[in-house]
Amino acid sequence: MRVRTLAAVSLVSLLAASAPLAQETIDRDIYWKIRREATDNSHIMRTLQVLTDLYGPRLTGSPNLKGASDWVVKETTAWGLKNAHLEPWDFGHPGWLNEKLSVHVVSPVKDALVVEALAWTPGTNGAVTAPVVTLELPQRPTKERLAQFFDEQRAKVKGRIVMAGPPQVLEVTIVPPAKRREDNDVKAQFSGASTPGGPPGPPQAAQPKPDPNVVPANQVAEQVDQFLVEAGAVGRVNDAGRDHGQIRAFNNRTFDVAKAVPTVVMRNEDFGRLWRLSAAGQTVELEMNIVNRTYPEGATQYNVVAEIPGTDKAQEVVMLGGHLDSWHSATGATDNAIGCATMLEAIRILNAIGVKPRRTIRVALWSGEEQGLLGSQAYVKEHFGSFENPKPEYANFGGYFNIDSGTGRARGMTVFGPPEDARILREATAPFADNGFLGATSTTSRRRGGSDHTSFNEAGLPGIGVSQDPIEYGTDTWHTNLDTYERIIEDDARQSAMVIAAAVYDLAKRDALLPRLQKDTMPAPPTP
């Protein structure tokens, strides 16, 4: 009964919103079918459950990610999509996976500690017990000061577990940030004004020139890791620096396990306790047992592709997707299994209701996003080239929709291109205002970053980023050990899949491709 009531209300909203639109006609029958299929036969949570519970975490290069990719090929083929396959690209590093991890304090108290392994670091070859030494790294050191620091600490770290600190002091949050955006704010953002260089921000102060005598922070990190290896440290513990037990664990910058000691990231609450005990004169001892494995075959990675073939304009393609890889501290639900499940659902809906798009509709799930949008960069380079050096497929590209901001409902879109592109998307999605989707805007920024649609923007192609309600993404789940299935709002994802399916279909059926920036309006590619 509830579904029938929802359907009736949605149909009234659909007809009312569609009536005034000009330019190209909204296919109201298809839009209605999209709503019904998304409401009555959603696959989102099943897809999410497989990607997270069975294949999470999906670190780039890991067997988990390969398993998830193979499953998507089989699943989309079973749905009836065509040409489902993996496309390889060169990651250049071995894969890595943590299989076992435990850290306990055994003196002066006994307790289990909450930690995550740092990726691409070695294991301990069995349980090891060692005293802790606290290490405060010099800030912005010169080469001479850093070398002096290493000489001073060399004897102290041998045979010890190094706590790299001090712990971060975190203020208690009194007023938490809002989880949903106000409609008026969303309307203001996506009402039509273009953003030439992205969203406006406060004036930037002139940046001082870097001091050539100061060692850059990334080089300090690598040199500290190498120092600990050479000095014979047993392990390393980093402070997560986040509240409420949140941990973000990334990777050894070199991706070479020989250039780091066994390393964990510890929740701030445990790290602070141990640091204070040590500062009070107590001898703190830890027991670490870490099993990490590397996978040479992970040097070759894969993007997953499947499609609905087009009809009279089949050589032209409209794409949608998100990144399938995740970090390894949790199962990668909000970042970005739910985005992948939403985009898979959007193309599944279109296939299930029997659309015959003029252009080919292609879904792509990327790997290597978390290491720098590597998979989507490789795909764009291989298939399209760039505005300055286009390949044959460049002229036939009709837009790429990307979603990658957690579980929140889709609220608007930003497209790379002229303002006309935003108008087209606003008209195509206007029937979904009752879902909370309130418009689109355009940008002319070619700067890569944030997520995979900017790999297309950088090439001068219409990448379309989907803006979402924040929910708990930036505050709790993004890259943390809390990023699990339980943090997903199913109805938000279903609503997002509806509007994205409709927008994709609209671009796939139009007489012309989205307008492009031309030679006199295309900004220069960003400098590295």
Side-chain angles (χ1 to χ4, degrees):
M1 189 66 183
R2 180 176 178 274
V3 170
R4 290 181 181 175
T5 302
L6 172 63
V9 172
S10 297
L11 180 58
V12 171
S13 300
L14 172 63
L15 295 174
S18 299
L21 295 181
Q23 303 294 325
E24 294 211 14
T25 304
I26 295 295
D27 191 329
R28 292 180 290 183
D29 180 59
I30 290 294
Y31 275 30
W32 172 241
K33 290 179 179 179
I34 287 172
R35 286 182 182 266
R36 286 301 302 266
E37 177 66 21
T39 302
D40 296 348
N41 193 33
S42 174
H43 284 42
I44 283 179
M45 297 308 285
R46 177 183 178 272
T47 299
L48 176 76
Q49 189 268 327
V50 172
L51 294 180
T52 55
D53 293 347
L54 184 59
Y55 292 113
R58 303 170 306 280
L59 187 67
T60 299
S62 70
N64 292 12
L65 179 59
K66 181 60 164 57
S69 302
D70 289 339
W71 179 82
V72 171
V73 169
K74 293 178 182 177
E75 187 73 358
T76 53
T77 300
W79 291 346
L81 301 185
K82 307 302 181 184
N83 195 29
H85 65 282
L86 304 181
E87 293 199 12
W89 59 274
D90 182 19
F91 180 42
H93 307 292
W96 180 94
L97 185 69
N98 169 249
E99 294 185 358
K100 182 181 295 185
L101 175 63
S102 67
V103 179
H104 290 76
V105 55
V106 295
S107 179
V109 296
K110 299 184 185 301
D111 205 354
L113 304 172
V114 180
V115 299
E116 296 290 342
L118 194 73
W120 284 280
T121 56
T124 55
N125 294 317
V128 296
T129 300
V132 158
V133 60
T134 57
L135 204 63
E136 294 193 47
L137 302 176
Q139 300 298 306
R140 303 185 74 248
T142 63
K143 294 179 181 178
E144 293 75 15
R145 176 67 188 101
L146 191 58
Q148 178 187 16
F149 175 78
F150 290 155
D151 288 341
E152 293 169 351
Q153 303 298 324
R154 195 172 304 275
K156 298 178 184 178
V157 304
K158 183 176 178 60
R160 301 290 186 96
I161 294 173
V162 175
M163 293 184 67
Q168 187 168 336
V169 178
L170 303 172
E171 298 294 334
V172 174
T173 300
I174 303 299
V175 181
K179 294 186 178 183
R180 294 206 184 273
R181 296 188 61 188
E182 294 290 340
D183 284 357
N184 287 339
D185 291 341
V186 178
K187 288 177 182 177
Q189 180 179 353
F190 295 104
S191 61
S194 62
T195 54
Q204 297 294 310
Q207 296 296 315
K209 291 184 178 180
D211 186 341
N213 296 314
V214 173
V215 181
N218 61 334
Q219 294 183 23
V220 171
E222 289 186 19
Q223 290 185 39
V224 169
D225 280 339
Q226 192 63 37
F227 160 71
L228 295 179
V229 171
E230 295 172 352
V234 171
R236 173 173 174 168
V237 181
N238 296 337
D239 176 22
R242 298 183 63 79
D243 58 9
H244 298 113
Q246 292 181 23
I247 298 175
R248 286 178 179 165
F250 297 117
N251 61 279
N252 162 23
R253 290 173 179 268
T254 68
F255 295 90
D256 185 346
V257 297
K259 293 183 177 180
V261 297
T263 303
V264 297
V265 182
M266 183 177 290
R267 70 174 179 176
N268 177 259
E269 295 85 348
D270 286 341
F271 192 94
R273 177 190 186 187
L274 300 183
W275 189 278
R276 291 188 296 271
L277 285 170
S278 181
Q282 299 284 347
T283 298
V284 178
E285 287 189 319
L286 301 184
E287 178 189 87
M288 303 177 72
N289 189 8
I290 307 172
V291 178
N292 297 331
R293 298 195 189 282
T294 55
Y295 295 84
E297 63 271 23
T300 298
Q301 282 304 285
Y302 303 90
N303 298 317
V304 192
V305 176
E307 59 192 26
I308 300 173
T311 53
D312 62 310
K313 294 179 178 290
Q315 77 281 6
E316 297 178 354
V317 61
V318 176
M319 295 183 65
L320 68 161
H323 71 89
L324 188 56
D325 65 301
S326 75
W327 285 109
H328 57 288
S329 295
T331 56
T334 68
D335 190 21
N336 184 35
I338 191 58
C340 293
T342 298
M343 293 314 210
L344 289 171
E345 178 72 354
I347 196 170
R348 186 202 65 79
I349 289 169
L350 294 174
N351 190 68
I353 65 176
V355 299
K356 301 296 180 185
R358 302 180 70 186
R359 296 178 179 87
T360 295
I361 297 173
R362 181 179 300 156
V363 65
L365 305 184
W366 315 110
S367 55
E369 191 272 353
E370 298 294 6
Q371 288 70 45
L373 316 185
L374 301 182
S376 57
Q377 284 184 65
Y379 186 89
V380 170
K381 181 178 180 181
E382 174 68 21
H383 285 267
F384 304 116
S386 67
F387 180 80
E388 290 74 23
N389 295 289
K391 292 192 173 184
E393 292 179 64
Y394 191 92
N396 293 325
F397 184 73
Y400 165 72
F401 294 82
N402 188 81
I403 193 164
D404 181 23
S405 296
T407 190
R409 184 173 306 193
R411 305 300 306 277
M413 294 175 182
T414 301
V415 55
F416 176 83
E420 175 71 2
D421 291 358
R423 183 193 64 78
I424 290 169
L425 288 172
R426 282 196 299 277
E427 291 180 351
T429 57
F432 293 88
D434 62 308
N435 290 39
F437 192 89
L438 298 176
T441 188
S442 62
T443 181
T444 56
S445 172
R446 292 179 69 178
R447 187 161 300 280
R448 174 174 20 102
S451 195
D452 292 292
H453 59 287
T454 63
S455 292
F456 293 81
N457 297 3
E458 183 182 41
L461 293 167
I464 303 165
V466 178
S467 177
Q468 300 167 254
D469 274 334
I471 309 299
E472 302 167 333
Y473 190 61
T475 57
D476 295 280
T477 66
W478 179 55
H479 295 168
T480 78
N481 55 325
L482 306 184
D483 188 7
T484 63
Y485 180 96
E486 288 74 16
R487 304 277 69 79
I488 298 303
I489 302 174
E490 178 180 4
D491 188 61
D492 277 27
R494 288 194 301 173
Q495 301 286 349
S496 297
M498 290 181 199
V499 68
I500 291 166
V504 167
Y505 175 73
D506 186 81
L507 295 194
K509 76 170 180 62
R510 295 177 61 83
D511 290 336
L513 292 168
L514 281 176
R516 301 270 190 93
L517 296 173
Q518 301 302 308
K519 187 174 182 178
D520 60 336
T521 54
M522 178 68 71
T527 55

